[in-house]
Amino acid sequence: MKRKEFLQSGFIAAGLSVLPAAISAKEQAPKKSFRFAFISDIHVKTGAVPEAGMAKALKHVNQLKPKVDFIINGGDCIMDALAATKESTQTQWTLYHQIMQKENSLPVYPCIGNHDIYGWFQKTPDTTDPLYGKSYAVKELKMTERYYHFKKENWNFIVLDSTQLNLAGGYIAKVDEVQLEWLKNKLAEIPANQQICIVSHIPILSICAGLFFNKTEANGDLMIKRNLMHTDFFALKTLFNKYPNIKTCLSGHIHLQDEINYHNIDYYCNGAISGNWWGGAFQEFDPAYAVFDFFDDGTVKREMIKYEV
């Protein structure tokens, strides 16, 4: 064989030996299913900074390249309804809707935040008011129920209501008994070959919950308060362990950002649109939102995106 022919045959052989590996790698690469934005803790109220900030955040989301398919709103849409009058609560919701209608063209899937709840902390609440409690937020956000399920491609989203009134004072992070029964039934209905994402306003699991107050206790303990992370985490963990197709849990509430993988589930706390309640950065985190890529094989990718306030 001539030298030229030998070299050519060698290159062909080498190419054939590499090509199957290249094809295999391509086949094994996860196929993207869809992309969406997770915005949380807008805390809109009247004023130049919060109004312009919410508008700017929504414009930013709507102009993303590549574009996102929808928005999940992680709660605390308005500054506060817990102790507000009905007039103040309606003013906040009206402002929220005005900015949403003007600046957003994407579908939005809402989640109720603690500050979206009307009247719990009023000095003399009218508990007979049909809008008392979460009913106001359910109405304004056009939700059929305070917790629900929706599906995108091969992914199931379960949106929880994680804020419960604490009779001892304040509120406590957990799912109530009726909701827990619904959650168990819903998880059992979902086929094992479909992926699951759990959404809650308050984190189910988060290191941020212990960092919110930016200090340790006098005795050195790092405390996680009952209103900063789900107090029923161990019960939920036991339930989640039965379903390997639960891949990720998304939350807001803390205004900080973290990413935890615990027992094959990715837990993401996704900062706040309002940052330090419209006062700049909260601790080390500027106002921001998350963009998620969800893949058919159950993998998840998050990018935190800052915007100008």
Side-chain angles (χ1 to χ4, degrees):
M1 182 183 290
K2 294 181 180 179
R3 185 172 185 274
K4 184 178 178 182
E5 293 174 347
F6 174 78
L7 289 174
Q8 285 178 338
S9 64
F11 286 140
I12 292 170
L16 288 174
S17 67
V18 171
L19 189 58
I23 293 173
S24 177
K26 186 176 180 181
E27 289 175 347
Q28 291 174 8
K31 295 179 181 179
K32 186 187 295 185
S33 186
F34 52 84
R35 193 168 191 249
F36 66 92
F38 187 98
I39 67 174
S40 191
D41 297 85
I42 299 172
H43 287 287
V44 73
K45 63 177 180 177
T46 55
V49 173
E51 290 181 42
M54 178 180 173
K56 197 169 291 187
L58 288 170
K59 283 181 182 178
H60 204 275
V61 171
N62 278 259
Q63 294 172 0
L64 282 171
K65 302 294 181 186
K67 69 180 184 66
V68 295
D69 300 300
F70 59 94
I71 292 172
I72 293 180
N73 186 339
D76 281 1
C77 304
I78 60 177
M79 179 56 75
D80 181 69
L82 284 166
T85 63
K86 181 174 281 188
E87 292 74 21
S88 173
T89 299
Q90 189 57 59
T91 296
Q92 294 175 74
W93 279 118
T94 298
L95 179 60
Y96 172 84
H97 293 311
Q98 287 174 347
I99 298 173
M100 268 288 182
Q101 288 167 7
K102 183 178 179 182
E103 306 296 350
N104 178 58
S105 61
L106 294 163
V108 179
Y109 294 90
C111 179
I112 297 175
N114 53 296
H115 287 281
D116 300 325
I117 300 168
Y118 169 63
W120 276 5
F121 294 174
Q122 290 176 349
K123 290 183 179 179
T124 54
D126 179 6
T127 57
T128 64
D129 188 326
L131 293 178
Y132 175 75
K134 297 166 188 173
S135 297
Y136 213 139
V138 168
K139 177 181 79 73
E140 293 293 329
L141 295 171
K142 295 180 172 56
M143 302 170 71
T144 56
E145 183 53 85
R146 58 192 173 92
Y147 48 86
Y148 63 99
H149 162 268
F150 70 95
K151 194 167 184 291
K152 295 287 184 181
E153 305 284 342
N154 197 45
W155 279 85
N156 293 267
F157 290 81
I158 295 177
V159 182
L160 299 178
D161 166 25
S162 54
T163 308
Q164 313 309 326
L165 184 60
N166 187 4
L167 297 179
Y171 61 88
I172 188 167
K174 66 176 184 177
V175 296
D176 54 276
E177 291 183 8
V178 173
Q179 184 178 184
L180 179 60
E181 193 63 27
W182 172 86
L183 175 60
K184 289 177 179 178
N185 292 334
K186 182 58 64 178
L187 289 173
E189 290 173 5
I190 296 172
N193 63 348
Q194 295 181 13
Q195 319 297 353
I196 300 173
C197 169
I198 309 289
V199 177
S200 61
H201 175 64
I202 302 175
I204 293 172
L205 177 65
S206 170
I207 186 59
C208 288
L211 308 178
F212 180 81
F213 294 108
N214 204 21
K215 66 174 186 177
T216 55
E217 300 299 303
N219 65 356
D221 287 345
L222 187 66
M223 297 292 289
I224 294 181
K225 302 292 185 180
R226 62 192 175 188
N227 60 356
L228 292 177
M229 194 184 93
H230 268 246
T231 59
D232 55 355
F233 167 72
F234 293 111
L236 291 178
K237 180 192 73 168
T238 300
L239 175 61
F240 291 176
N241 283 345
K242 298 177 181 178
Y243 299 96
N245 52 337
I246 299 177
K247 301 300 184 180
T248 190
C249 297
L250 313 181
S251 67
H253 187 55
I254 310 293
H255 292 228
L256 303 175
Q257 303 166 22
D258 68 15
E259 178 179 344
I260 297 172
N261 182 278
Y262 187 84
H263 206 256
N264 299 317
I265 297 177
D266 291 319
Y267 294 83
Y268 296 95
C269 190
N270 296 296
I273 293 292
S274 64
N276 191 13
W277 292 263
W278 301 111
F282 181 57
Q283 295 186 31
E284 296 83 8
F285 297 101
D286 292 321
Y289 62 91
V291 171
F292 284 94
D293 289 307
F294 273 32
F295 297 88
D296 291 336
D297 67 351
T299 57
V300 172
K301 178 184 175 184
R302 179 184 76 167
E303 180 185 3
M304 292 302 306
I305 297 181
K306 300 177 185 178
Y307 67 95
E308 281 186 37
V309 177

